[in-house]
Amino acid sequence: HRDERRKEAPERPSHGTPSGSPGARHDRAHPAHDAAQDPSSGPRSAPPGPPVAARHPRSMAAPGRDGELRRTFEALPARPTEDAERFAGTWWGDAWVAALEEGALDAARLARGRACAGRGNVDAITVTPGLVLAYVQGSRPRPYRVQVRLRTFSDDEWDRFLDAAAERPGHIAALLDRQLPRSLAEGGVRMLPGPGDLEPHCGCPDSGHTCKHAAAVCYQTARLLDQDPFVLLLLRGRGERELLDALSRRTAVRAARAAQERKPVPVPGVRARDVVTPRALPPLPAPLPPPAHPEQPPVCPGVPGGPDPFALDQLATDAAARAHALLTTGHDPVAELTLWQDAVRLAAARPGSGLTAATRELYSSLAAATGRTPAELARAVAAWRQGGREALTVLEEPWDPPAGRFDRARPLLLAAGLPAFRPWHNRLTHPDGHTQLRLGRDGLWYAYESEPGREDWWPRGTADPDPVGALTGLGAPGGEAGAR
């Protein structure tokens, strides 16, 4: 099998000199020599000139040559001292480390390899089928070239592995999540190496098995396996895309075969004559009587940092009232309101008068939600309490009423001892500028008051079909209003 593994490895030792001779070690330590020996690295450069002093390059990786069967990983950073004893964080990474340590002959070399890897002396790692290649900085200026070989799987072994993976959908999901299930790795074919399966080769003069440079590469490889178990599958001979495509095909074939073997399910149905036969249906039960009034909502306790319990109680009470109206009349009185009108309705439904601290907070939140100011909302609430939606329209929308009711209002006011009010659209304003009447489209008169000369009109009193009656509701009878 060793000869077959050498054929599968895309990067081979230097030609002409055995891999164990000193001359071969010296030549492989320099990246220019590897480029000259590898036909895939491009055209050869001109013959070298005078000897140049060796220097340590930034990286000896060639990520531009990566593909489906070749992956290059950047040099892993140094590890903290407290993590130096354990390089793997997954069970399959631990199994890789166990294969290295159980197959080594000298524990001291392993300890030095852990220290070497922990210091970040291992350069970028290149993984191809059956081979891990990296350069390790040792005691000399030029780094050592390290190879770790692992037997690739045969086609029959890959078929058994793919069948085991496609048999359970959880296996495919785990692989896509960069996890390696133990039942898959230790199933029909053993994916992880055992003691003696890893074959390290290093260009250093140390003939021990395993030298510290090869051990350092193996420890860093365990960290790569933690991050991506497809690195192990690539070492065994297959790339990620090829494996996923093969699993997709096997899953589709299994699903199609299962669909063919599944017996057809009988379609439920009834006989046609049973459908067209006339039959009398029983009458529907009488509907339950609606409740006399909406129920009170449960009490919401106050929680520090939680919503206002009074506001929750108000919303729940409002929802119950709307539901009761819809149940008894079939009409939702709020459904046709705009956002602004509904905000005014909610604020007007809050009991009490005056801007308390809680009311100010409610007005601020509702005004911000509708793009208005709290003062505008307070004026609109006063109009809503005066006459609901129609009174809010009277506050915000002047209009030109037809001849008739509006024209008869001024003589009625004069007959009541009031001065001549100034007309404008649907409004009649006291000449002193402190009282105003507005005619709504519903035929009712709405009274307003303002400080003289300020034009700051606020709804007052209740709507009345008689203009004098609307002013009387302010507590200013005809004579007194005229005197003002």
Side-chain angles (χ1 to χ4, degrees), residues 19-375:
S19 59
S21 63
R25 298 192 195 104
H26 180 79
D27 292 339
R28 288 198 306 271
H30 200 285
H33 178 80
D34 292 331
Q37 297 296 331
D38 193 343
S40 61
S41 61
R44 300 185 180 181
S45 58
V52 181
R55 65 182 181 88
H56 189 117
R58 295 182 179 177
S59 176
M60 297 189 178
R65 296 166 52 193
D66 283 359
E68 175 68 11
L69 295 179
R70 175 190 170 101
R71 296 179 63 182
T72 301
F73 301 88
E74 295 182 358
L76 296 174
R79 296 173 63 91
T81 306
E82 57 271 15
D83 296 339
E85 290 300 323
R86 186 181 181 192
F87 272 79
T90 60
W91 75 266
W92 58 89
D94 286 335
W96 175 276
V97 173
L100 164 69
E101 295 179 346
E102 293 176 11
L105 302 179
D106 188 354
R109 285 186 172 87
L110 292 177
R112 290 194 294 271
R114 281 195 299 270
C116 181
R119 290 192 298 269
N121 288 2
V122 180
D123 195 16
I125 297 178
T126 300
V127 180
T128 57
L131 178 66
V132 177
L133 173 65
Y135 288 88
V136 181
Q137 185 63 45
S139 58
R140 69 180 186 180
R142 290 184 298 181
Y144 297 104
R145 188 175 192 266
V146 177
Q147 293 181 350
V148 179
R149 297 181 180 274
L150 179 65
R151 184 183 69 85
T152 57
F153 284 164
S154 64
D155 292 341
D156 178 65
E157 289 174 311
W158 275 118
D159 287 338
R160 282 184 286 156
F161 174 81
L162 293 173
D163 288 338
E167 186 177 358
R168 295 172 57 181
H171 286 162
I172 302 178
L175 287 175
L176 292 176
D177 200 27
R178 294 302 188 263
Q179 299 291 320
L180 184 61
R182 191 183 295 270
S183 57
L184 177 61
E186 298 178 352
V189 55
R190 183 175 179 82
M191 179 61 61
L192 288 158
D197 290 346
L198 300 177
E199 297 183 12
H201 301 275
C202 180
C204 73
D206 188 358
S207 59
H209 184 84
T210 301
C211 74
K212 68 174 184 179
H213 310 107
V217 172
C218 289
Y219 283 120
Q220 295 293 65
T221 304
R223 296 175 64 184
L224 297 181
L225 297 182
D226 279 347
Q227 301 171 9
D228 190 353
F230 279 99
V231 175
L232 178 61
L233 301 179
L234 176 58
L235 272 172
R236 289 299 193 179
R238 297 284 177 93
E240 178 178 352
R241 177 51 51 196
E242 181 182 2
L243 284 173
L244 294 179
D245 291 345
L247 287 174
S248 298
R249 289 192 298 269
R250 274 175 163 75
T251 302
V253 170
R254 284 176 176 269
R257 187 180 297 117
Q260 292 176 354
E261 296 174 353
R262 191 181 306 117
K263 295 182 179 180
V265 179
V267 180
V270 295
R271 294 181 176 274
R273 66 186 177 195
D274 296 337
V275 176
V276 298
T277 300
R279 54 178 176 168
L281 297 177
L284 295 175
L288 295 175
H293 54 79
E295 297 292 338
Q296 291 294 326
V299 177
C300 301
V303 179
D308 181 9
F310 185 82
L312 289 178
D313 181 81
Q314 182 181 356
L315 290 175
T317 303
D318 180 72
R322 291 179 58 188
H324 185 266
L326 184 61
L327 181 63
T328 54
T329 66
H331 175 68
D332 183 5
V334 185
E336 299 178 357
L337 296 182
T338 64
L339 178 63
W340 166 243
Q341 293 170 342
D342 195 37
V344 174
R345 180 187 68 86
L346 288 175
R350 192 179 185 97
S353 60
L355 289 178
T356 63
T359 305
R360 288 193 186 94
E361 183 177 356
L362 174 66
Y363 278 30
S364 297
S365 60
L366 290 176
T370 55
R372 304 291 184 99
T373 64

Side-chain angles (χ1 to χ4, degrees), residues 351-429:
S353 60
L355 289 178
T356 63
T359 305
R360 288 193 186 94
E361 183 177 356
L362 174 66
Y363 278 30
S364 297
S365 60
L366 290 176
T370 55
R372 304 291 184 99
T373 64
E376 291 176 325
L377 179 60
R379 195 190 310 269
V381 167
W384 190 277
R385 289 175 175 169
Q386 187 185 39
R389 182 178 178 181
E390 183 63 32
L392 181 62
T393 304
V394 171
L395 169 69
E396 298 179 334
E397 300 177 7
W399 63 289
D400 294 321
R405 182 183 296 272
F406 187 80
D407 295 332
R408 291 192 298 269
R410 298 182 69 194
L412 291 175
L413 294 172
L414 290 173
L418 296 170
F421 278 54
R422 299 191 306 271
W424 182 79
H425 291 291
N426 63 323
R427 301 174 182 178
L428 294 175
T429 305

Side-chain angles (χ1 to χ4, degrees), residues 428-444:
L428 294 175
T429 305
H430 193 283
D432 292 341
H434 59 78
T435 306
Q436 187 180 88
L437 288 170
R438 299 185 182 184
L439 179 63
R441 297 179 188 273
D442 57 355
L444 300 178

